[in-house]
Amino acid sequence: MAKRVIIIGGVAAGMSAAAKARRSDPALEIVAYERSGYVSYGSCGFPYAIKGEIARVEDVVVRTPERFAKQGITALVRHEVLEIDPTGGSVLVRNLNNGTEFRDRWDALVLTTGGVASRPPFPGVNLPGIFTLRTVEDALAIQQWIREHRPTRGVIIGGGYIGLEMAEALDAHGIQITLVERLPQVLPNLDPEMAGHAQAELSRQGVEVNLDQPVEGFGGDERVREVVAGGRRIPADIVILAVGVKPNVELARAAGIALGPTGAVAVDDHQRTNLPSVWAAGDVAEALHRVTGRPAWVPLGTTANKQGRVAGENVAGGDARFPGIVGTAVVKVFDLEAASSGLSEARARIGGYNVESVSATANSRAHYMPGHHPIHVKLVYESGSRRLLGGQLVGVEGVAKRIDIIAAALHQGWTVDELAELDLSYAPPFAPVWDPILVAANLARREG
């Protein structure tokens, strides 16, 4: 009898695991169960589909169940796994189309249940017109609400990636935006002075930014009409609740799969859990942070795809390993790009590091080239060893790929002095002779 692999969750990590397992062992029986109506999609594209920059929300779907079937992979949508029985090697599944339940057996199990959008129990939080954004269905529901109700006033709760991207998306529909954030800054992965550039861009684009404003509830009759925050009543025809994501670990916890210090599933570098023949990958799982050497939970699609490939290969008998992350991310804030990799100065200090930092501003292109813009760079490094701990960049252009230089340096454990020695490309339309990263690194070298 062929080895049977069941994958719980059919998005980035799950279908990457399925595809890699199939390539590694054509004899495997592979079944993926997905609770939503779609598999293998890029949720990072949702704000741009809602904005209208991408023609259809469904265009973010990479592969359909029909395409997976041609590879010999059974992907069943609208099928929710209710229970994992690790002793008996089975799962209890509910078909959400007709409500029937059945058991399926497995020889190997890959848990990729992802994350779930936080929905705190604020009064009125379930009023129509209040949305989270996690699945294709969520994006379609937002589109439909805009089309049918033509909102003119929108409130976004949360100043992270999704909140800022959705500000731009709603603005494209002529909706006046108010952003409410309970922290004293937007983009909490950046240090305050770097996040301040993003806040200034929001204000420049007409977004009303309210910081240090905890949400108290929502008001309305048959639909949302207002957000109550910081003692104010803010009119709203549509609300995007973007207050974070948490790992979807309920199935894991009930099955006795160990969780790590972050609250996500604990895995080794092969994506193995504490239970035999059970792997986990993606937003439900931890990853080793290469800067701190400790487990971290950074829910990003890049990590999910890589971890899924590792789990898939190992399910098929391979010996792949996932070496860890440095937490590299970039976000578009209207006309601005903001990126970070590694630790911010604030997080490094919380982590117990003796920290130094430098900040510099330099041009994105040669100063005489039309269209050049300032790029703000901050480097965070360890006093004494001078090991680079993190970097942040904000600017109109050239930020999104320059952050990858920082990521590569962090992966290799470089010092700021080694960063300053890089032979980076130069041509007037693309970069000045002294790239902004080199300007910052040389500043650190002089201060050392």
Side-chain angles (χ1 to χ4, degrees), residues 117-200:
S118 296
R119 199 176 183 98
F122 301 124
V125 73
N126 294 317
L127 281 168
I130 301 175
F131 301 94
T132 56
L133 183 59
R134 188 70 185 171
T135 66
V136 174
E137 287 88 347
D138 292 337
L140 290 171
I142 293 171
Q143 271 195 334
Q144 182 178 358
W145 186 268
I146 293 172
R147 186 170 57 249
E148 293 182 357
H149 296 276
R150 301 193 178 279
T152 60
R153 301 164 302 179
V155 176
I156 295 173
I157 312 297
Y161 299 134
I162 293 175
L164 300 196
E165 289 169 343
M166 282 303 297
E168 182 177 348
L170 296 188
D171 177 78
H173 292 278
I175 301 170
Q176 179 61 47
I177 308 300
T178 300
L179 187 144
V180 177
E181 169 58 59
R182 66 178 178 86
L183 298 175
Q185 68 173 79
V186 297
L187 295 177
N189 57 310
L190 269 59
D191 286 312
E193 72 274 21
M194 298 297 283
H197 297 295
Q199 182 182 335

Side-chain angles (χ1 to χ4, degrees), residues 116-400:
V116 58
S118 296
R119 199 176 183 98
F122 301 124
V125 73
N126 294 317
L127 281 168
I130 301 175
F131 301 94
T132 56
L133 183 59
R134 188 70 185 171
T135 66
V136 174
E137 287 88 347
D138 292 337
L140 290 171
I142 293 171
Q143 271 195 334
Q144 182 178 358
W145 186 268
I146 293 172
R147 186 170 57 249
E148 293 182 357
H149 296 276
R150 301 193 178 279
T152 60
R153 301 164 302 179
V155 176
I156 295 173
I157 312 297
Y161 299 134
I162 293 175
L164 300 196
E165 289 169 343
M166 282 303 297
E168 182 177 348
L170 296 188
D171 177 78
H173 292 278
I175 301 170
Q176 179 61 47
I177 308 300
T178 300
L179 187 144
V180 177
E181 169 58 59
R182 66 178 178 86
L183 298 175
Q185 68 173 79
V186 297
L187 295 177
N189 57 310
L190 269 59
D191 286 312
E193 72 274 21
M194 298 297 283
H197 297 295
Q199 182 182 335
E201 174 66 8
L202 290 167
S203 297
R204 189 180 75 85
Q205 296 288 347
V207 176
E208 180 186 331
V209 180
N210 293 276
L211 304 176
D212 283 313
Q213 297 287 310
V215 171
E216 298 160 32
F218 304 92
D221 35 40
E222 296 180 355
R223 50 179 282 192
V224 68
R225 298 293 184 183
E226 64 180 13
V227 176
V228 183
R232 295 178 55 208
R233 295 184 177 273
I234 306 168
D237 306 311
I238 183 171
V239 174
I240 305 298
L241 199 57
V243 293
V245 177
K246 56 186 178 182
N248 187 9
V249 296
E250 296 310 311
L251 267 178
R253 182 185 287 113
I257 298 172
L259 307 184
T262 69
V265 171
V267 292
D268 65 9
D269 63 356
H270 283 56
Q271 302 305 131
R272 292 176 294 217
T273 71
N274 63 308
L275 298 185
S277 302
V278 178
W279 287 258
D283 290 358
V284 74
E286 294 181 334
L288 174 71
H289 200 294
R290 292 174 65 101
V291 175
T292 66
R294 297 191 287 266
W297 187 67
V298 183
L300 294 171
T302 49
T303 301
N305 276 281
K306 293 168 189 172
Q307 287 186 330
R309 285 172 60 91
V310 169
E313 182 172 337
N314 292 336
V315 159
D319 190 31
R321 60 182 294 271
F322 182 65
I325 62 170
V326 293
T328 309
V330 63
V331 63
K332 184 175 181 291
V333 187
F334 287 92
D335 294 334
L336 208 63
E337 302 171 7
S340 66
S341 189
L343 305 180
S344 66
E345 181 176 356
R347 291 185 177 178
R349 292 190 187 283
I350 291 171
Y353 291 93
N354 188 7
V355 175
E356 295 188 43
S357 69
V358 292
S359 297
T361 300
N363 286 327
S364 59
R365 314 179 193 182
H367 72 277
Y368 50 79
M369 286 300 296
H372 68 81
H373 294 279
I375 292 180
H376 308 283
V377 184
K378 180 171 184 177
L379 300 179
V380 180
Y381 57 101
E382 189 174 28
S383 180
S385 74
R386 300 181 59 76
R387 179 170 70 105
L388 184 67
L389 298 176
Q392 301 160 52
L393 292 91
V394 180
V396 171
E397 65 168 9
V399 164

